[in-house]
Amino acid sequence: MPEMPHPTRTAGIRSHPALILLLVSAALSSFLGGCSGGDFGRTRGDFRNDDMHRWLGAEATGSVGMTSSQFQLTENERQLRDLAYPLIEPPHSRPAWKSVFGDYQPLPSPWRQKVVFDRTTYGRALIDEPHRSHTSRYQQLIEDVRNDITRFEPFFASAARVIELDRKRNTSLKMVSELSAREQADAVARMEENTLIVQWVQQCLERRISSYRWSLERLVIQTPDNIAADADRLIGELAAQTANPPVAAQPVLGRAVTVKG
């Protein structure tokens, strides 16, 4: 008499393809979710390398004709650059799929840019991009402003530490024995890098505020809603913080460009 298949074994064999499909779907979902699981939709930390934002210093000094430092970044300097990038990257309303694969790219410093800053770019993208309801445009604007407010304190706290240590570094240069010309140049270049990065963020914040205000004004006349008051309050809060930063980095060359809105 042929052996009858065990009921439990048979059920397991029949359910095996479905189980595999379920596991694959879960894994794919986890992977895509992980890619977009960074703060504010940014690339997650384990997809980054420690010095991925090192280029900020070289770009800042290079744009004003200076040579970048060859010194390794300190932990504080690396953190300064990591916190600076989200504030330097132009704010924009982006499709959901972009938050999965990311859109990280190096950006030219404001000293290198020859094109006049267009405060309408952000608002036009926000208004023209399809939304399920008019209030979602206000909500996107509010989210972008709130994210900047959230990023403000950590960045300037980091900047304060870096600038204070640079003051001590500058004082120490006079007391270092047998200081080579290369060491002197690298130390000065690093201090210039750090100062320019802080100025870069300050300029970008002023530009963001100008863009946010233009956007809110257009939303109010196109799709008036009481939620506009919340957006206006948050923009005012960000503007007040930006006008009185905890760290006032002095320009290395000339005067820092400001864009009031």
Side-chain angles (χ1 to χ4, degrees):
M1 182 175 181
E3 181 182 355
M4 298 296 292
H6 192 278
T8 304
R9 187 185 305 167
T10 303
I13 293 173
R14 290 177 178 174
S15 63
H16 188 61
L19 178 60
I20 291 177
L21 180 60
L22 178 62
L23 291 175
V24 170
S25 299
L28 181 59
S29 176
S30 176
F31 171 76
L32 294 178
C35 290
S36 61
D39 294 339
F40 310 117
R42 305 295 177 190
T43 305
R44 204 177 59 184
D46 55 1
F47 283 85
R48 299 163 51 179
N49 62 73
D50 287 344
D51 284 344
M52 72 178 292
H53 295 123
R54 182 186 178 93
W55 62 269
L56 285 171
E59 168 60 24
T61 53
S63 67
V64 294
M66 299 179 180
T67 303
S68 61
S69 175
Q70 298 303 307
F71 284 167
Q72 294 184 13
L73 294 175
T74 67
E75 291 182 2
N76 286 322
E77 290 169 344
R78 184 178 295 114
Q79 183 187 56
L80 177 73
R81 286 150 179 77
D82 289 344
L83 294 174
Y85 183 80
L87 291 168
I88 288 172
E89 182 187 33
H92 56 280
S93 171
R94 58 184 176 179
W97 64 266
K98 264 196 170 183
S99 66
V100 174
F101 297 101
D103 55 353
Y104 180 89
Q105 59 179 327
L107 303 165
S109 79
W111 299 280
R112 192 186 298 278
Q113 296 174 14
K114 296 182 180 180
V115 179
V116 177
F117 166 64
D118 185 0
R119 67 195 293 249
T120 72
T121 301
Y122 168 83
R124 292 186 187 281
L126 180 68
I127 293 170
D128 294 343
E129 195 171 89
H131 286 74
R132 297 183 64 181
S133 67
H134 75 273
T135 58
S136 64
R137 291 183 172 86
Y138 283 103
Q139 290 166 350
Q140 180 66 57
L141 173 61
I142 287 172
E143 180 182 356
D144 289 340
V145 178
R146 185 178 287 120
N147 286 346
D148 287 345
I149 292 173
T150 302
R151 296 181 181 116
F152 188 95
E153 192 281 330
F155 170 77
F156 280 100
S158 176
R161 289 191 295 270
V162 170
I163 297 300
E164 177 59 29
L165 289 172
D166 276 350
R167 292 194 185 101
K168 296 179 179 179
R169 185 196 329 235
N170 191 43
T171 301
S172 299
L173 286 175
K174 304 172 184 177
M175 299 179 287
V176 174
S177 61
E178 300 179 3
L179 181 68
S180 70
R182 179 69 264 178
E183 289 174 320
Q184 170 89 14
D186 279 334
V188 172
R190 178 51 49 80
M191 290 186 287
E192 290 172 339
E193 285 180 27
N194 295 334
T195 299
L196 285 170
I197 288 173
V198 176
Q199 291 180 35
W200 190 347
V201 169
Q202 290 171 334
Q203 292 183 46
C204 288
L205 282 169
E206 291 179 355
R207 292 181 173 187
R208 291 163 104 92
I209 293 166
S210 180
S211 296
Y212 292 148
R213 282 177 170 159
W214 187 93
S215 304
L216 180 60
E217 290 169 355
R218 268 61 196 177
L219 286 174
V220 167
I221 62 174
Q222 293 186 29
T223 55
D225 194 288
N226 290 332
I227 197 174
D230 295 331
D232 184 59
R233 176 182 58 80
L234 287 172
I235 294 172
E237 181 180 342
L238 180 61
Q241 290 180 330
T242 302
N244 299 282
V247 177
Q250 298 301 317
V252 177
L253 282 180
R255 297 183 59 186
V257 178
T258 58
V259 180
K260 302 296 183 181

